[in-house]
Amino acid sequence: MSEPLAALFFDLDGTLVREGAGEAVQRTAVTLAQRHGLSAEGILAANTSAWRDCWADQGERWMRGELSGDALPRDIWQRTLERFGQDDPALVDEAVEIHVREEKATFTLFEESLEVLDALRADRMPLGLITNGPAESQRAKLVAAGIDDRFDVVIASGDLGVVKPEPEIFRHALDLLGIRAAQAAHVGDSFTADIVGAASVGMHAVWVNREADAPPRTDVPHHDCRSLRDVLALVAQESDSRGR
């Protein structure tokens, strides 16, 4: 690294916290089927189709904070249940309530997440979070996962109306900590949103590539790691090189 590392930024979903949306939908479908005599398999199929349609219509606006945090899931469940001839608003409310509860239960950390964050904090490394999604729901995930107190700055796309990989969200994060891009690294699992976005502003990009996939692009400079523990090794290596 050309300059001493002054801060580390992390993505949230898929990087620190496991993606649990699919599991939450399955649990919701089973509960609704048991309560109302519907087909869980049918609910899942309808939800998949509704999600695809709603995301195409509203996904970008939802992540930018232009819609309320529950607007997208509410519309998805409304469209899902309408395909069963169920248009009772109370049933939609019930589905959303179950989904939110089950989704919170899936917000579990990867086994090394807390270890890595605490090691970096103990080393007095400033930490930031840059995440796509509505501000309220993303911060609720941090609370549910028990890591809301681990970061010096938290930026959700819904705060700014700007989503990764757009450079503005990364520049805003750097400005909040008062550092230059060359002094910071961003760690994330999405090559497009995290790696391309961070590299575009001159940050060091660290791809959490747990499945050892080939990079979608070869023209984007980045570190490739299999675990968040590899981030600690990178930081230690950088520190050792400065000490020589």
Side-chain angles (χ1 to χ4, degrees):
M1 296 183 181
S2 57
E3 296 189 47
L5 191 63
L8 269 172
F9 293 91
F10 287 85
D11 167 57
L12 180 59
D13 299 295
T15 298
L16 295 170
V17 174
R18 289 182 175 84
E19 299 273 13
E23 184 180 351
V25 169
Q26 290 180 342
R27 293 180 182 179
T28 304
V30 169
T31 300
L32 289 174
Q34 291 174 342
R35 290 182 181 178
H36 301 283
L38 303 173
S39 162
E41 292 78 8
I43 293 174
L44 284 172
N47 186 273
T48 299
S49 176
W51 184 92
R52 183 174 56 246
D53 294 343
C54 289
W55 186 261
D57 293 343
Q58 305 171 29
E60 188 82 2
R61 293 173 57 212
W62 183 71
M63 287 199 299
R64 291 183 187 276
E66 297 173 10
L67 303 174
S68 65
D70 71 343
L72 183 63
R74 180 169 295 279
D75 196 18
I76 290 171
W77 280 109
Q78 181 174 338
R79 295 194 196 189
T80 297
L81 293 168
E82 282 175 351
R83 298 182 190 196
F84 289 86
Q86 304 285 341
D87 57 2
D88 183 356
L91 185 55
V92 175
D93 289 342
E94 181 183 351
V96 172
E97 180 182 351
I98 296 168
H99 187 185
V100 169
R101 183 181 69 243
E102 294 295 350
E103 196 170 40
K104 284 182 180 178
T106 68
F107 295 153
T108 58
L109 295 168
F110 286 100
E111 64 174 81
E112 75 273 21
S113 295
L114 201 57
E115 169 195 336
V116 170
L117 292 175
D118 285 348
L120 292 168
R121 295 293 291 180
D123 216 21
R124 299 183 182 276
M125 175 66 71
L127 300 180
L129 187 88
I130 308 175
T131 177
N132 278 349
E136 183 178 350
S137 63
Q138 294 304 92
R139 285 181 170 83
K141 290 180 184 180
L142 290 175
V143 174
I147 55 172
D148 53 306
D149 61 346
R150 287 340 195 256
F151 301 97
D152 298 287
V153 295
V154 173
I155 304 105
S157 60
D159 291 321
L160 305 178
V162 176
V163 301
K164 296 181 297 183
E166 295 175 45
E168 290 81 5
I169 193 169
F170 294 97
R171 291 182 181 135
H172 180 72
L174 293 167
D175 288 344
L176 287 177
L177 287 184
I179 59 174
R180 296 183 298 277
Q183 297 175 297
H186 177 71
V187 181
D189 71 303
S190 169
F191 197 91
T192 299
D194 295 306
I195 305 312
V196 173
S200 73
V201 300
M203 297 173 72
H204 301 282
V206 182
W207 187 25
V208 182
N209 181 15
R210 292 185 172 94
E211 302 303 318
D213 295 326
R217 290 171 53 179
T218 58
D219 61 333
V220 181
H222 67 279
H223 300 279
D224 190 300
C225 65
R226 300 289 173 268
S227 161
L228 290 175
R229 293 190 181 97
D230 295 339
V231 175
L232 294 180
L234 282 172
V235 172
Q237 181 181 5
E238 194 273 343
S239 179
D240 288 344
S241 67
R242 294 291 163 190
R244 294 192 184 108

PDB file of all heavy atoms in Angstrom, residues 71-101:
ATOM      1  N   ALA A  71     -41.848  -0.728   2.503  1.00  0.00           N
ATOM      2  CA  ALA A  71     -42.662  -0.563   1.293  1.00  0.00           C
ATOM      3  C   ALA A  71     -42.464  -1.707   0.314  1.00  0.00           C
ATOM      4  O   ALA A  71     -43.436  -2.261  -0.229  1.00  0.00           O
ATOM      5  CB  ALA A  71     -42.334   0.770   0.622  1.00  0.00           C
ATOM      6  N   LEU A  72     -41.205  -2.078   0.079  1.00  0.00           N
ATOM      7  CA  LEU A  72     -40.935  -3.142  -0.890  1.00  0.00           C
ATOM      8  C   LEU A  72     -41.435  -4.498  -0.400  1.00  0.00           C
ATOM      9  O   LEU A  72     -42.171  -5.184  -1.127  1.00  0.00           O
ATOM     10  CB  LEU A  72     -39.449  -3.182  -1.224  1.00  0.00           C
ATOM     11  CG  LEU A  72     -39.031  -4.203  -2.275  1.00  0.00           C
ATOM     12  CD1 LEU A  72     -39.668  -3.894  -3.617  1.00  0.00           C
ATOM     13  CD2 LEU A  72     -37.498  -4.228  -2.423  1.00  0.00           C
ATOM     14  N   PRO A  73     -41.071  -4.942   0.824  1.00  0.00           N
ATOM     15  CA  PRO A  73     -41.607  -6.235   1.270  1.00  0.00           C
ATOM     16  C   PRO A  73     -43.129  -6.260   1.357  1.00  0.00           C
ATOM     17  O   PRO A  73     -43.754  -7.293   1.078  1.00  0.00           O
ATOM     18  CB  PRO A  73     -40.960  -6.436   2.646  1.00  0.00           C
ATOM     19  CG  PRO A  73     -40.417  -5.117   3.050  1.00  0.00           C
ATOM     20  CD  PRO A  73     -40.105  -4.379   1.796  1.00  0.00           C
ATOM     21  N   ARG A  74     -43.731  -5.130   1.700  1.00  0.00           N
ATOM     22  CA  ARG A  74     -45.198  -5.091   1.780  1.00  0.00           C
ATOM     23  C   ARG A  74     -45.816  -5.297   0.400  1.00  0.00           C
ATOM     24  O   ARG A  74     -46.785  -6.056   0.240  1.00  0.00           O
ATOM     25  CB  ARG A  74     -45.651  -3.756   2.380  1.00  0.00           C
ATOM     26  CG  ARG A  74     -47.172  -3.609   2.500  1.00  0.00           C
ATOM     27  CD  ARG A  74     -47.532  -2.395   3.329  1.00  0.00           C
ATOM     28  NE  ARG A  74     -47.074  -2.575   4.703  1.00  0.00           N
ATOM     29  CZ  ARG A  74     -47.740  -3.282   5.618  1.00  0.00           C
ATOM     30  NH1 ARG A  74     -48.888  -3.877   5.305  1.00  0.00           N
ATOM     31  NH2 ARG A  74     -47.265  -3.395   6.842  1.00  0.00           N
ATOM     32  N   ASP A  75     -45.271  -4.634  -0.593  1.00  0.00           N
ATOM     33  CA  ASP A  75     -45.806  -4.781  -1.953  1.00  0.00           C
ATOM     34  C   ASP A  75     -45.589  -6.203  -2.462  1.00  0.00           C
ATOM     35  O   ASP A  75     -46.453  -6.784  -3.131  1.00  0.00           O
ATOM     36  CB  ASP A  75     -45.130  -3.776  -2.886  1.00  0.00           C
ATOM     37  CG  ASP A  75     -45.889  -3.610  -4.196  1.00  0.00           C
ATOM     38  OD1 ASP A  75     -47.073  -3.980  -4.262  1.00  0.00           O
ATOM     39  OD2 ASP A  75     -45.291  -3.099  -5.171  1.00  0.00           O
ATOM     40  N   ILE A  76     -44.423  -6.780  -2.125  1.00  0.00           N
ATOM     41  CA  ILE A  76     -44.145  -8.157  -2.552  1.00  0.00           C
ATOM     42  C   ILE A  76     -45.161  -9.122  -1.962  1.00  0.00           C
ATOM     43  O   ILE A  76     -45.715  -9.974  -2.673  1.00  0.00           O
ATOM     44  CB  ILE A  76     -42.715  -8.567  -2.145  1.00  0.00           C
ATOM     45  CG1 ILE A  76     -41.692  -7.800  -2.972  1.00  0.00           C
ATOM     46  CG2 ILE A  76     -42.513 -10.082  -2.313  1.00  0.00           C
ATOM     47  CD1 ILE A  76     -40.265  -7.978  -2.506  1.00  0.00           C
ATOM     48  N   TRP A  77     -45.449  -8.983  -0.675  1.00  0.00           N
ATOM     49  CA  TRP A  77     -46.395  -9.899  -0.050  1.00  0.00           C
ATOM     50  C   TRP A  77     -47.820  -9.631  -0.505  1.00  0.00           C
ATOM     51  O   TRP A  77     -48.633 -10.564  -0.627  1.00  0.00           O
ATOM     52  CB  TRP A  77     -46.275  -9.841   1.474  1.00  0.00           C
ATOM     53  CG  TRP A  77     -45.113 -10.652   1.948  1.00  0.00           C
ATOM     54  CD1 TRP A  77     -43.933 -10.196   2.469  1.00  0.00           C
ATOM     55  CD2 TRP A  77     -44.994 -12.078   1.899  1.00  0.00           C
ATOM     56  NE1 TRP A  77     -43.088 -11.239   2.743  1.00  0.00           N
ATOM     57  CE2 TRP A  77     -43.714 -12.411   2.405  1.00  0.00           C
ATOM     58  CE3 TRP A  77     -45.836 -13.103   1.470  1.00  0.00           C
ATOM     59  CZ2 TRP A  77     -43.261 -13.719   2.497  1.00  0.00           C
ATOM     60  CZ3 TRP A  77     -45.392 -14.414   1.567  1.00  0.00           C
ATOM     61  CH2 TRP A  77     -44.126 -14.710   2.069  1.00  0.00           C
ATOM     62  N   GLN A  78     -48.137  -8.398  -0.788  1.00  0.00           N
ATOM     63  CA  GLN A  78     -49.475  -8.108  -1.313  1.00  0.00           C
ATOM     64  C   GLN A  78     -49.678  -8.791  -2.656  1.00  0.00           C
ATOM     65  O   GLN A  78     -50.713  -9.429  -2.904  1.00  0.00           O
ATOM     66  CB  GLN A  78     -49.668  -6.595  -1.454  1.00  0.00           C
ATOM     67  CG  GLN A  78     -51.065  -6.213  -1.983  1.00  0.00           C
ATOM     68  CD  GLN A  78     -51.288  -4.707  -1.988  1.00  0.00           C
ATOM     69  OE1 GLN A  78     -50.633  -3.972  -1.259  1.00  0.00           O
ATOM     70  NE2 GLN A  78     -52.206  -4.254  -2.813  1.00  0.00           N
ATOM     71  N   ARG A  79     -48.704  -8.654  -3.534  1.00  0.00           N
ATOM     72  CA  ARG A  79     -48.805  -9.295  -4.851  1.00  0.00           C
ATOM     73  C   ARG A  79     -48.785 -10.821  -4.721  1.00  0.00           C
ATOM     74  O   ARG A  79     -49.476 -11.523  -5.477  1.00  0.00           O
ATOM     75  CB  ARG A  79     -47.654  -8.836  -5.751  1.00  0.00           C
ATOM     76  CG  ARG A  79     -47.682  -7.367  -6.084  1.00  0.00           C
ATOM     77  CD  ARG A  79     -46.732  -7.061  -7.227  1.00  0.00           C
ATOM     78  NE  ARG A  79     -46.434  -5.644  -7.333  1.00  0.00           N
ATOM     79  CZ  ARG A  79     -45.768  -5.096  -8.356  1.00  0.00           C
ATOM     80  NH1 ARG A  79     -45.346  -5.849  -9.353  1.00  0.00           N
ATOM     81  NH2 ARG A  79     -45.521  -3.795  -8.379  1.00  0.00           N
ATOM     82  N   THR A  80     -47.999 -11.327  -3.784  1.00  0.00           N
ATOM     83  CA  THR A  80     -47.937 -12.775  -3.563  1.00  0.00           C
ATOM     84  C   THR A  80     -49.309 -13.312  -3.192  1.00  0.00           C
ATOM     85  O   THR A  80     -49.800 -14.303  -3.773  1.00  0.00           O
ATOM     86  CB  THR A  80     -46.942 -13.099  -2.435  1.00  0.00           C
ATOM     87  OG1 THR A  80     -45.629 -12.698  -2.832  1.00  0.00           O
ATOM     88  CG2 THR A  80     -46.934 -14.594  -2.127  1.00  0.00           C
ATOM     89  N   LEU A  81     -49.957 -12.687  -2.222  1.00  0.00           N
ATOM     90  CA  LEU A  81     -51.236 -13.191  -1.718  1.00  0.00           C
ATOM     91  C   LEU A  81     -52.378 -12.949  -2.696  1.00  0.00           C
ATOM     92  O   LEU A  81     -53.344 -13.730  -2.738  1.00  0.00           O
ATOM     93  CB  LEU A  81     -51.536 -12.544  -0.362  1.00  0.00           C
ATOM     94  CG  LEU A  81     -50.556 -12.968   0.748  1.00  0.00           C
ATOM     95  CD1 LEU A  81     -50.713 -12.083   1.978  1.00  0.00           C
ATOM     96  CD2 LEU A  81     -50.767 -14.430   1.116  1.00  0.00           C
ATOM     97  N   GLU A  82     -52.268 -11.902  -3.499  1.00  0.00           N
ATOM     98  CA  GLU A  82     -53.306 -11.649  -4.508  1.00  0.00           C
ATOM     99  C   GLU A  82     -53.398 -12.795  -5.503  1.00  0.00           C
ATOM    100  O   GLU A  82     -54.466 -13.064  -6.051  1.00  0.00           O
ATOM    101  CB  GLU A  82     -53.007 -10.344  -5.250  1.00  0.00           C
ATOM    102  CG  GLU A  82     -53.374  -9.091  -4.450  1.00  0.00           C
ATOM    103  CD  GLU A  82     -52.963  -7.813  -5.155  1.00  0.00           C
ATOM    104  OE1 GLU A  82     -52.242  -7.908  -6.183  1.00  0.00           O
ATOM    105  OE2 GLU A  82     -53.351  -6.724  -4.686  1.00  0.00           O
ATOM    106  N   ARG A  83     -52.312 -13.506  -5.706  1.00  0.00           N
ATOM    107  CA  ARG A  83     -52.311 -14.620  -6.654  1.00  0.00           C
ATOM    108  C   ARG A  83     -53.062 -15.827  -6.108  1.00  0.00           C
ATOM    109  O   ARG A  83     -53.311 -16.785  -6.830  1.00  0.00           O
ATOM    110  CB  ARG A  83     -50.872 -14.975  -7.022  1.00  0.00           C
ATOM    111  CG  ARG A  83     -50.193 -13.797  -7.709  1.00  0.00           C
ATOM    112  CD  ARG A  83     -48.790 -14.051  -8.158  1.00  0.00           C
ATOM    113  NE  ARG A  83     -48.169 -12.780  -8.574  1.00  0.00           N
ATOM    114  CZ  ARG A  83     -47.069 -12.669  -9.295  1.00  0.00           C
ATOM    115  NH1 ARG A  83     -46.455 -13.774  -9.680  1.00  0.00           N
ATOM    116  NH2 ARG A  83     -46.579 -11.501  -9.624  1.00  0.00           N
ATOM    117  N   PHE A  84     -53.403 -15.762  -4.812  1.00  0.00           N
ATOM    118  CA  PHE A  84     -54.244 -16.793  -4.193  1.00  0.00           C
ATOM    119  C   PHE A  84     -55.662 -16.271  -3.954  1.00  0.00           C
ATOM    120  O   PHE A  84     -56.440 -16.899  -3.251  1.00  0.00           O
ATOM    121  CB  PHE A  84     -53.634 -17.229  -2.850  1.00  0.00           C
ATOM    122  CG  PHE A  84     -52.380 -18.041  -2.991  1.00  0.00           C
ATOM    123  CD1 PHE A  84     -51.155 -17.416  -3.103  1.00  0.00           C
ATOM    124  CD2 PHE A  84     -52.414 -19.419  -3.046  1.00  0.00           C
ATOM    125  CE1 PHE A  84     -49.991 -18.152  -3.243  1.00  0.00           C
ATOM    126  CE2 PHE A  84     -51.259 -20.164  -3.186  1.00  0.00           C
ATOM    127  CZ  PHE A  84     -50.047 -19.532  -3.286  1.00  0.00           C
ATOM    128  N   GLY A  85     -55.959 -15.130  -4.537  1.00  0.00           N
ATOM    129  CA  GLY A  85     -57.268 -14.521  -4.332  1.00  0.00           C
ATOM    130  C   GLY A  85     -57.432 -13.929  -2.951  1.00  0.00           C
ATOM    131  O   GLY A  85     -58.551 -13.688  -2.496  1.00  0.00           O
ATOM    132  N   GLN A  86     -56.315 -13.692  -2.261  1.00  0.00           N
ATOM    133  CA  GLN A  86     -56.328 -13.147  -0.907  1.00  0.00           C
ATOM    134  C   GLN A  86     -55.973 -11.663  -0.975  1.00  0.00           C
ATOM    135  O   GLN A  86     -54.827 -11.299  -1.225  1.00  0.00           O
ATOM    136  CB  GLN A  86     -55.308 -13.885  -0.026  1.00  0.00           C
ATOM    137  CG  GLN A  86     -55.497 -15.384   0.027  1.00  0.00           C
ATOM    138  CD  GLN A  86     -56.673 -15.789   0.896  1.00  0.00           C
ATOM    139  OE1 GLN A  86     -57.139 -15.019   1.726  1.00  0.00           O
ATOM    140  NE2 GLN A  86     -57.161 -16.997   0.695  1.00  0.00           N
ATOM    141  N   ASP A  87     -56.970 -10.809  -0.766  1.00  0.00           N
ATOM    142  CA  ASP A  87     -56.706  -9.372  -0.845  1.00  0.00           C
ATOM    143  C   ASP A  87     -57.026  -8.654   0.468  1.00  0.00           C
ATOM    144  O   ASP A  87     -57.200  -7.435   0.501  1.00  0.00           O
ATOM    145  CB  ASP A  87     -57.497  -8.740  -1.993  1.00  0.00           C
ATOM    146  CG  ASP A  87     -59.003  -8.981  -1.881  1.00  0.00           C
ATOM    147  OD1 ASP A  87     -59.440  -9.601  -0.883  1.00  0.00           O
ATOM    148  OD2 ASP A  87     -59.741  -8.541  -2.776  1.00  0.00           O
ATOM    149  N   ASP A  88     -57.085  -9.418   1.553  1.00  0.00           N
ATOM    150  CA  ASP A  88     -57.366  -8.844   2.869  1.00  0.00           C
ATOM    151  C   ASP A  88     -56.114  -8.114   3.371  1.00  0.00           C
ATOM    152  O   ASP A  88     -55.059  -8.735   3.558  1.00  0.00           O
ATOM    153  CB  ASP A  88     -57.754  -9.956   3.844  1.00  0.00           C
ATOM    154  CG  ASP A  88     -58.136  -9.431   5.221  1.00  0.00           C
ATOM    155  OD1 ASP A  88     -58.026  -8.205   5.456  1.00  0.00           O
ATOM    156  OD2 ASP A  88     -58.531 -10.245   6.074  1.00  0.00           O
ATOM    157  N   PRO A  89     -56.190  -6.794   3.604  1.00  0.00           N
ATOM    158  CA  PRO A  89     -55.020  -6.044   4.097  1.00  0.00           C
ATOM    159  C   PRO A  89     -54.470  -6.613   5.408  1.00  0.00           C
ATOM    160  O   PRO A  89     -53.269  -6.543   5.647  1.00  0.00           O
ATOM    161  CB  PRO A  89     -55.557  -4.623   4.296  1.00  0.00           C
ATOM    162  CG  PRO A  89     -56.733  -4.524   3.367  1.00  0.00           C
ATOM    163  CD  PRO A  89     -57.339  -5.898   3.365  1.00  0.00           C
ATOM    164  N   ALA A  90     -55.358  -7.190   6.240  1.00  0.00           N
ATOM    165  CA  ALA A  90     -54.902  -7.758   7.515  1.00  0.00           C
ATOM    166  C   ALA A  90     -53.982  -8.949   7.277  1.00  0.00           C
ATOM    167  O   ALA A  90     -53.030  -9.174   8.039  1.00  0.00           O
ATOM    168  CB  ALA A  90     -56.101  -8.180   8.362  1.00  0.00           C
ATOM    169  N   LEU A  91     -54.239  -9.713   6.210  1.00  0.00           N
ATOM    170  CA  LEU A  91     -53.383 -10.860   5.906  1.00  0.00           C
ATOM    171  C   LEU A  91     -52.022 -10.388   5.397  1.00  0.00           C
ATOM    172  O   LEU A  91     -50.991 -10.992   5.709  1.00  0.00           O
ATOM    173  CB  LEU A  91     -54.055 -11.756   4.869  1.00  0.00           C
ATOM    174  CG  LEU A  91     -53.339 -13.074   4.537  1.00  0.00           C
ATOM    175  CD1 LEU A  91     -53.093 -13.894   5.795  1.00  0.00           C
ATOM    176  CD2 LEU A  91     -54.141 -13.871   3.515  1.00  0.00           C
ATOM    177  N   VAL A  92     -52.032  -9.305   4.626  1.00  0.00           N
ATOM    178  CA  VAL A  92     -50.760  -8.727   4.171  1.00  0.00           C
ATOM    179  C   VAL A  92     -49.949  -8.251   5.375  1.00  0.00           C
ATOM    180  O   VAL A  92     -48.742  -8.497   5.476  1.00  0.00           O
ATOM    181  CB  VAL A  92     -51.005  -7.564   3.189  1.00  0.00           C
ATOM    182  CG1 VAL A  92     -49.676  -6.897   2.817  1.00  0.00           C
ATOM    183  CG2 VAL A  92     -51.727  -8.054   1.947  1.00  0.00           C
ATOM    184  N   ASP A  93     -50.628  -7.573   6.312  1.00  0.00           N
ATOM    185  CA  ASP A  93     -49.949  -7.120   7.537  1.00  0.00           C
ATOM    186  C   ASP A  93     -49.339  -8.301   8.288  1.00  0.00           C
ATOM    187  O   ASP A  93     -48.208  -8.232   8.789  1.00  0.00           O
ATOM    188  CB  ASP A  93     -50.936  -6.395   8.459  1.00  0.00           C
ATOM    189  CG  ASP A  93     -51.364  -5.040   7.919  1.00  0.00           C
ATOM    190  OD1 ASP A  93     -50.677  -4.510   7.035  1.00  0.00           O
ATOM    191  OD2 ASP A  93     -52.395  -4.518   8.393  1.00  0.00           O
ATOM    192  N   GLU A  94     -50.102  -9.384   8.356  1.00  0.00           N
ATOM    193  CA  GLU A  94     -49.626 -10.577   9.057  1.00  0.00           C
ATOM    194  C   GLU A  94     -48.389 -11.150   8.370  1.00  0.00           C
ATOM    195  O   GLU A  94     -47.404 -11.514   9.038  1.00  0.00           O
ATOM    196  CB  GLU A  94     -50.736 -11.625   9.094  1.00  0.00           C
ATOM    197  CG  GLU A  94     -50.340 -12.906   9.819  1.00  0.00           C
ATOM    198  CD  GLU A  94     -51.448 -13.956   9.759  1.00  0.00           C
ATOM    199  OE1 GLU A  94     -52.570 -13.633   9.315  1.00  0.00           O
ATOM    200  OE2 GLU A  94     -51.164 -15.104  10.155  1.00  0.00           O
ATOM    201  N   ALA A  95     -48.435 -11.219   7.035  1.00  0.00           N
ATOM    202  CA  ALA A  95     -47.305 -11.766   6.288  1.00  0.00           C
ATOM    203  C   ALA A  95     -46.054 -10.921   6.494  1.00  0.00           C
ATOM    204  O   ALA A  95     -44.955 -11.456   6.705  1.00  0.00           O
ATOM    205  CB  ALA A  95     -47.653 -11.839   4.799  1.00  0.00           C
ATOM    206  N   VAL A  96     -46.206  -9.606   6.447  1.00  0.00           N
ATOM    207  CA  VAL A  96     -45.056  -8.717   6.628  1.00  0.00           C
ATOM    208  C   VAL A  96     -44.502  -8.851   8.040  1.00  0.00           C
ATOM    209  O   VAL A  96     -43.281  -8.899   8.246  1.00  0.00           O
ATOM    210  CB  VAL A  96     -45.452  -7.257   6.337  1.00  0.00           C
ATOM    211  CG1 VAL A  96     -44.311  -6.306   6.705  1.00  0.00           C
ATOM    212  CG2 VAL A  96     -45.828  -7.084   4.870  1.00  0.00           C
ATOM    213  N   GLU A  97     -45.400  -8.940   9.021  1.00  0.00           N
ATOM    214  CA  GLU A  97     -44.961  -9.078  10.414  1.00  0.00           C
ATOM    215  C   GLU A  97     -44.160 -10.364  10.611  1.00  0.00           C
ATOM    216  O   GLU A  97     -43.101 -10.368  11.258  1.00  0.00           O
ATOM    217  CB  GLU A  97     -46.171  -9.070  11.341  1.00  0.00           C
ATOM    218  CG  GLU A  97     -45.813  -9.214  12.816  1.00  0.00           C
ATOM    219  CD  GLU A  97     -47.036  -9.261  13.707  1.00  0.00           C
ATOM    220  OE1 GLU A  97     -48.157  -9.019  13.212  1.00  0.00           O
ATOM    221  OE2 GLU A  97     -46.871  -9.558  14.906  1.00  0.00           O
ATOM    222  N   ILE A  98     -44.659 -11.464  10.042  1.00  0.00           N
ATOM    223  CA  ILE A  98     -43.948 -12.746  10.160  1.00  0.00           C
ATOM    224  C   ILE A  98     -42.592 -12.660   9.463  1.00  0.00           C
ATOM    225  O   ILE A  98     -41.570 -13.085   9.997  1.00  0.00           O
ATOM    226  CB  ILE A  98     -44.785 -13.887   9.553  1.00  0.00           C
ATOM    227  CG1 ILE A  98     -46.081 -14.074  10.330  1.00  0.00           C
ATOM    228  CG2 ILE A  98     -43.979 -15.189   9.543  1.00  0.00           C
ATOM    229  CD1 ILE A  98     -47.082 -14.985   9.634  1.00  0.00           C
ATOM    230  N   HIS A  99     -42.607 -12.083   8.259  1.00  0.00           N
ATOM    231  CA  HIS A  99     -41.371 -11.988   7.477  1.00  0.00           C
ATOM    232  C   HIS A  99     -40.317 -11.175   8.210  1.00  0.00           C
ATOM    233  O   HIS A  99     -39.145 -11.574   8.284  1.00  0.00           O
ATOM    234  CB  HIS A  99     -41.684 -11.365   6.118  1.00  0.00           C
ATOM    235  CG  HIS A  99     -40.523 -11.374   5.173  1.00  0.00           C
ATOM    236  ND1 HIS A  99     -40.565 -10.778   3.944  1.00  0.00           N
ATOM    237  CD2 HIS A  99     -39.269 -11.893   5.275  1.00  0.00           C
ATOM    238  CE1 HIS A  99     -39.411 -10.940   3.330  1.00  0.00           C
ATOM    239  NE2 HIS A  99     -38.607 -11.612   4.124  1.00  0.00           N
ATOM    240  N   VAL A 100     -40.704 -10.030   8.765  1.00  0.00           N
ATOM    241  CA  VAL A 100     -39.747  -9.181   9.484  1.00  0.00           C
ATOM    242  C   VAL A 100     -39.163  -9.932  10.674  1.00  0.00           C
ATOM    243  O   VAL A 100     -37.952  -9.897  10.927  1.00  0.00           O
ATOM    244  CB  VAL A 100     -40.418  -7.872   9.941  1.00  0.00           C
ATOM    245  CG1 VAL A 100     -39.525  -7.116  10.923  1.00  0.00           C
ATOM    246  CG2 VAL A 100     -40.754  -6.997   8.746  1.00  0.00           C
ATOM    247  N   ARG A 101     -40.022 -10.642  11.408  1.00  0.00           N
ATOM    248  CA  ARG A 101     -39.557 -11.404  12.570  1.00  0.00           C
ATOM    249  C   ARG A 101     -38.593 -12.510  12.152  1.00  0.00           C
ATOM    250  O   ARG A 101     -37.535 -12.702  12.763  1.00  0.00           O
ATOM    251  CB  ARG A 101     -40.755 -11.994  13.313  1.00  0.00           C
ATOM    252  CG  ARG A 101     -40.345 -12.751  14.583  1.00  0.00           C
ATOM    253  CD  ARG A 101     -41.532 -13.336  15.294  1.00  0.00           C
ATOM    254  NE  ARG A 101     -42.156 -14.429  14.564  1.00  0.00           N
ATOM    255  CZ  ARG A 101     -43.396 -14.396  14.093  1.00  0.00           C
ATOM    256  NH1 ARG A 101     -44.168 -13.343  14.279  1.00  0.00           N
ATOM    257  NH2 ARG A 101     -43.884 -15.438  13.443  1.00  0.00           N
TER     258      ARG A 101
END
